[in-house]
PDB file of all heavy atoms in Angstrom:
ATOM      1  N   ASP B 184    -123.240-195.554  61.508  1.00 90.00           N
ATOM      2  CA  ASP B 184    -124.282-196.562  61.789  1.00 90.00           C
ATOM      3  C   ASP B 184    -125.637-195.992  61.340  1.00 90.00           C
ATOM      4  O   ASP B 184    -125.771-194.791  61.132  1.00 90.00           O
ATOM      5  CB  ASP B 184    -124.290-196.934  63.285  1.00 90.00           C
ATOM      6  CG  ASP B 184    -124.962-198.279  63.496  1.00 90.00           C
ATOM      7  OD1 ASP B 184    -125.480-198.855  62.536  1.00 90.00           O
ATOM      8  OD2 ASP B 184    -124.927-198.738  64.660  1.00 90.00           O
ATOM      9  N   SER B 185    -126.653-196.819  61.253  1.00 89.00           N
ATOM     10  CA  SER B 185    -127.912-196.373  60.688  1.00 89.00           C
ATOM     11  C   SER B 185    -129.037-196.469  61.715  1.00 89.00           C
ATOM     12  O   SER B 185    -129.012-197.349  62.601  1.00 89.00           O
ATOM     13  CB  SER B 185    -128.276-197.205  59.441  1.00 89.00           C
ATOM     14  OG  SER B 185    -128.451-198.548  59.783  1.00 89.00           O
ATOM     15  N   ILE B 186    -130.006-195.550  61.528  1.00 87.00           N
ATOM     16  CA  ILE B 186    -131.254-195.639  62.259  1.00 87.00           C
ATOM     17  C   ILE B 186    -132.329-195.853  61.169  1.00 87.00           C
ATOM     18  O   ILE B 186    -132.780-194.937  60.505  1.00 87.00           O
ATOM     19  CB  ILE B 186    -131.541-194.365  63.079  1.00 87.00           C
ATOM     20  CG1 ILE B 186    -130.405-194.162  64.090  1.00 87.00           C
ATOM     21  CG2 ILE B 186    -132.890-194.412  63.792  1.00 87.00           C
ATOM     22  CD1 ILE B 186    -130.515-192.876  64.839  1.00 87.00           C
ATOM     23  N   GLU B 187    -132.651-197.149  61.012  1.00 85.00           N
ATOM     24  CA  GLU B 187    -133.456-197.539  59.889  1.00 85.00           C
ATOM     25  C   GLU B 187    -134.900-196.980  59.969  1.00 85.00           C
ATOM     26  O   GLU B 187    -135.528-196.740  58.942  1.00 85.00           O
ATOM     27  CB  GLU B 187    -133.497-199.059  59.788  1.00 85.00           C
ATOM     28  CG  GLU B 187    -132.135-199.653  59.485  1.00 85.00           C
ATOM     29  CD  GLU B 187    -132.169-201.160  59.397  1.00 85.00           C
ATOM     30  OE1 GLU B 187    -133.275-201.735  59.660  1.00 85.00           O
ATOM     31  OE2 GLU B 187    -131.116-201.796  59.123  1.00 85.00           O
ATOM     32  N   ALA B 188    -135.336-196.753  61.207  1.00 84.00           N
ATOM     33  CA  ALA B 188    -136.736-196.256  61.351  1.00 84.00           C
ATOM     34  C   ALA B 188    -136.891-194.882  60.724  1.00 84.00           C
ATOM     35  O   ALA B 188    -137.957-194.540  60.197  1.00 84.00           O
ATOM     36  CB  ALA B 188    -137.117-196.254  62.839  1.00 84.00           C
ATOM     37  N   TRP B 189    -135.870-194.067  60.848  1.00 88.00           N
ATOM     38  CA  TRP B 189    -135.930-192.686  60.316  1.00 88.00           C
ATOM     39  C   TRP B 189    -135.110-192.496  59.059  1.00 88.00           C
ATOM     40  O   TRP B 189    -135.006-191.390  58.527  1.00 88.00           O
ATOM     41  CB  TRP B 189    -135.466-191.670  61.363  1.00 88.00           C
ATOM     42  CG  TRP B 189    -136.411-191.546  62.521  1.00 88.00           C
ATOM     43  CD1 TRP B 189    -137.651-192.034  62.635  1.00 88.00           C
ATOM     44  CD2 TRP B 189    -136.137-190.856  63.712  1.00 88.00           C
ATOM     45  NE1 TRP B 189    -138.250-191.708  63.825  1.00 88.00           N
ATOM     46  CE2 TRP B 189    -137.298-190.962  64.547  1.00 88.00           C
ATOM     47  CE3 TRP B 189    -135.061-190.154  64.275  1.00 88.00           C
ATOM     48  CZ2 TRP B 189    -137.385-190.418  65.804  1.00 88.00           C
ATOM     49  CZ3 TRP B 189    -135.213-189.578  65.522  1.00 88.00           C
ATOM     50  CH2 TRP B 189    -136.324-189.732  66.307  1.00 88.00           C
ATOM     51  N   ASP B 190    -134.416-193.574  58.555  1.00 85.00           N
ATOM     52  CA  ASP B 190    -133.501-193.475  57.383  1.00 85.00           C
ATOM     53  C   ASP B 190    -132.373-192.452  57.672  1.00 85.00           C
ATOM     54  O   ASP B 190    -132.042-191.610  56.849  1.00 85.00           O
ATOM     55  CB  ASP B 190    -134.269-193.077  56.125  1.00 85.00           C
ATOM     56  CG  ASP B 190    -135.224-194.160  55.659  1.00 85.00           C
ATOM     57  OD1 ASP B 190    -134.958-195.320  55.976  1.00 85.00           O
ATOM     58  OD2 ASP B 190    -136.201-193.840  54.966  1.00 85.00           O
ATOM     59  N   TRP B 191    -131.871-192.623  58.926  1.00 89.00           N
ATOM     60  CA  TRP B 191    -130.736-191.716  59.316  1.00 89.00           C
ATOM     61  C   TRP B 191    -129.429-192.501  59.334  1.00 89.00           C
ATOM     62  O   TRP B 191    -129.417-193.726  59.520  1.00 89.00           O
ATOM     63  CB  TRP B 191    -131.014-191.147  60.721  1.00 89.00           C
ATOM     64  CG  TRP B 191    -131.940-189.967  60.775  1.00 89.00           C
ATOM     65  CD1 TRP B 191    -132.732-189.501  59.844  1.00 89.00           C
ATOM     66  CD2 TRP B 191    -132.106-189.166  61.927  1.00 89.00           C
ATOM     67  NE1 TRP B 191    -133.451-188.437  60.236  1.00 89.00           N
ATOM     68  CE2 TRP B 191    -133.081-188.191  61.544  1.00 89.00           C
ATOM     69  CE3 TRP B 191    -131.591-189.112  63.208  1.00 89.00           C
ATOM     70  CZ2 TRP B 191    -133.503-187.179  62.452  1.00 89.00           C
ATOM     71  CZ3 TRP B 191    -132.019-188.135  64.094  1.00 89.00           C
ATOM     72  CH2 TRP B 191    -132.961-187.160  63.716  1.00 89.00           C
ATOM     73  N   MET B 192    -128.386-191.726  59.097  1.00 90.00           N
ATOM     74  CA  MET B 192    -127.000-192.214  59.315  1.00 90.00           C
ATOM     75  C   MET B 192    -126.374-191.330  60.373  1.00 90.00           C
ATOM     76  O   MET B 192    -126.294-190.117  60.231  1.00 90.00           O
ATOM     77  CB  MET B 192    -126.159-192.128  58.016  1.00 90.00           C
ATOM     78  CG  MET B 192    -124.737-192.639  58.203  1.00 90.00           C
ATOM     79  SD  MET B 192    -123.534-191.334  58.734  1.00 90.00           S
ATOM     80  CE  MET B 192    -123.579-190.202  57.353  1.00 90.00           C
ATOM     81  N   ILE B 193    -125.945-191.933  61.477  1.00 91.00           N
ATOM     82  CA  ILE B 193    -125.247-191.202  62.507  1.00 91.00           C
ATOM     83  C   ILE B 193    -123.815-191.718  62.591  1.00 91.00           C
ATOM     84  O   ILE B 193    -123.546-192.893  62.341  1.00 91.00           O
ATOM     85  CB  ILE B 193    -125.973-191.287  63.867  1.00 91.00           C
ATOM     86  CG1 ILE B 193    -125.932-192.741  64.378  1.00 91.00           C
ATOM     87  CG2 ILE B 193    -127.347-190.727  63.801  1.00 91.00           C
ATOM     88  CD1 ILE B 193    -126.469-192.877  65.793  1.00 91.00           C
ATOM     89  N   GLY B 194    -122.911-190.867  62.952  1.00 91.00           N
ATOM     90  CA  GLY B 194    -121.508-191.266  63.031  1.00 91.00           C
ATOM     91  C   GLY B 194    -120.672-190.267  63.819  1.00 91.00           C
ATOM     92  O   GLY B 194    -121.111-189.191  64.177  1.00 91.00           O
ATOM     93  N   ALA B 195    -119.442-190.668  64.054  1.00 88.00           N
ATOM     94  CA  ALA B 195    -118.467-189.834  64.691  1.00 88.00           C
ATOM     95  C   ALA B 195    -117.072-190.206  64.173  1.00 88.00           C
ATOM     96  O   ALA B 195    -116.858-191.315  63.625  1.00 88.00           O
ATOM     97  CB  ALA B 195    -118.540-189.994  66.198  1.00 88.00           C
ATOM     98  N   GLY B 196    -116.135-189.298  64.359  1.00 85.00           N
ATOM     99  CA  GLY B 196    -114.798-189.575  63.822  1.00 85.00           C
ATOM    100  C   GLY B 196    -113.684-189.022  64.730  1.00 85.00           C
ATOM    101  O   GLY B 196    -113.935-188.172  65.574  1.00 85.00           O
ATOM    102  N   VAL B 197    -112.476-189.485  64.456  1.00 81.00           N
ATOM    103  CA  VAL B 197    -111.306-189.030  65.168  1.00 81.00           C
ATOM    104  C   VAL B 197    -110.188-188.790  64.146  1.00 81.00           C
ATOM    105  O   VAL B 197    -110.052-189.543  63.174  1.00 81.00           O
ATOM    106  CB  VAL B 197    -110.887-190.054  66.246  1.00 81.00           C
ATOM    107  CG1 VAL B 197    -110.498-191.366  65.626  1.00 81.00           C
ATOM    108  CG2 VAL B 197    -109.726-189.497  67.080  1.00 81.00           C
ATOM    109  N   TYR B 198    -109.370-187.766  64.349  1.00 77.00           N
ATOM    110  CA  TYR B 198    -108.297-187.411  63.406  1.00 77.00           C
ATOM    111  C   TYR B 198    -107.019-188.183  63.759  1.00 77.00           C
ATOM    112  O   TYR B 198    -106.702-188.445  64.934  1.00 77.00           O
ATOM    113  CB  TYR B 198    -108.008-185.920  63.463  1.00 77.00           C
ATOM    114  CG  TYR B 198    -109.113-185.079  62.820  1.00 77.00           C
ATOM    115  CD1 TYR B 198    -110.133-184.520  63.602  1.00 77.00           C
ATOM    116  CD2 TYR B 198    -109.117-184.854  61.451  1.00 77.00           C
ATOM    117  CE1 TYR B 198    -111.116-183.739  63.015  1.00 77.00           C
ATOM    118  CE2 TYR B 198    -110.107-184.079  60.853  1.00 77.00           C
ATOM    119  CZ  TYR B 198    -111.115-183.551  61.644  1.00 77.00           C
ATOM    120  OH  TYR B 198    -112.104-182.791  61.065  1.00 77.00           O
ATOM    121  N   VAL B 199    -106.282-188.476  62.730  1.00 74.00           N
ATOM    122  CA  VAL B 199    -104.960-189.121  62.907  1.00 74.00           C
ATOM    123  C   VAL B 199    -104.012-188.183  63.617  1.00 74.00           C
ATOM    124  O   VAL B 199    -103.124-188.588  64.374  1.00 74.00           O
ATOM    125  CB  VAL B 199    -104.382-189.537  61.554  1.00 74.00           C
ATOM    126  CG1 VAL B 199    -102.980-190.138  61.703  1.00 74.00           C
ATOM    127  CG2 VAL B 199    -105.294-190.583  60.870  1.00 74.00           C
ATOM    128  N   ARG B 200    -104.186-186.878  63.400  1.00 72.00           N
ATOM    129  CA  ARG B 200    -103.343-185.905  64.071  1.00 72.00           C
ATOM    130  C   ARG B 200    -103.417-186.047  65.595  1.00 72.00           C
ATOM    131  O   ARG B 200    -102.412-185.921  66.294  1.00 72.00           O
ATOM    132  CB  ARG B 200    -103.763-184.517  63.627  1.00 72.00           C
ATOM    133  CG  ARG B 200    -102.866-183.393  64.184  1.00 72.00           C
ATOM    134  CD  ARG B 200    -103.268-182.104  63.506  1.00 72.00           C
ATOM    135  NE  ARG B 200    -102.426-181.019  64.003  1.00 72.00           N
ATOM    136  CZ  ARG B 200    -102.490-179.749  63.545  1.00 72.00           C
ATOM    137  NH1 ARG B 200    -103.383-179.462  62.577  1.00 72.00           N
ATOM    138  NH2 ARG B 200    -101.694-178.819  64.010  1.00 72.00           N
ATOM    139  N   ASP B 201    -104.589-186.315  66.102  1.00 66.00           N
ATOM    140  CA  ASP B 201    -104.733-186.505  67.531  1.00 66.00           C
ATOM    141  C   ASP B 201    -103.983-187.748  67.987  1.00 66.00           C
ATOM    142  O   ASP B 201    -103.335-187.775  69.037  1.00 66.00           O
ATOM    143  CB  ASP B 201    -106.220-186.655  67.874  1.00 66.00           C
ATOM    144  CG  ASP B 201    -106.993-185.379  67.542  1.00 66.00           C
ATOM    145  OD1 ASP B 201    -106.339-184.316  67.517  1.00 66.00           O
ATOM    146  OD2 ASP B 201    -108.193-185.459  67.319  1.00 66.00           O
ATOM    147  N   ILE B 202    -104.001-188.780  67.132  1.00 70.00           N
ATOM    148  CA  ILE B 202    -103.275-189.994  67.467  1.00 70.00           C
ATOM    149  C   ILE B 202    -101.760-189.716  67.437  1.00 70.00           C
ATOM    150  O   ILE B 202    -101.040-190.185  68.304  1.00 70.00           O
ATOM    151  CB  ILE B 202    -103.645-191.120  66.483  1.00 70.00           C
ATOM    152  CG1 ILE B 202    -105.140-191.444  66.580  1.00 70.00           C
ATOM    153  CG2 ILE B 202    -102.816-192.374  66.737  1.00 70.00           C
ATOM    154  CD1 ILE B 202    -105.640-192.434  65.525  1.00 70.00           C
ATOM    155  N   ASN B 203    -101.297-188.912  66.449  1.00 69.00           N
ATOM    156  CA  ASN B 203     -99.869-188.571  66.367  1.00 69.00           C
ATOM    157  C   ASN B 203     -99.420-187.786  67.608  1.00 69.00           C
ATOM    158  O   ASN B 203     -98.316-187.978  68.113  1.00 69.00           O
ATOM    159  CB  ASN B 203     -99.594-187.765  65.109  1.00 69.00           C
ATOM    160  CG  ASN B 203     -99.765-188.658  63.854  1.00 69.00           C
ATOM    161  OD1 ASN B 203     -99.657-189.870  63.907  1.00 69.00           O
ATOM    162  ND2 ASN B 203    -100.089-188.017  62.719  1.00 69.00           N
TER     163      ASN B 203
END
Side-chain angles (χ1 to χ4, degrees):
D184 201 355
S185 63
I186 300 176
E187 296 179 357
W189 289 350
D190 294 334
W191 278 14
M192 180 272 296
I193 64 173
V197 62
Y198 288 96
V199 177
R200 184 172 182 176
D201 298 336
I202 299 174
N203 292 334

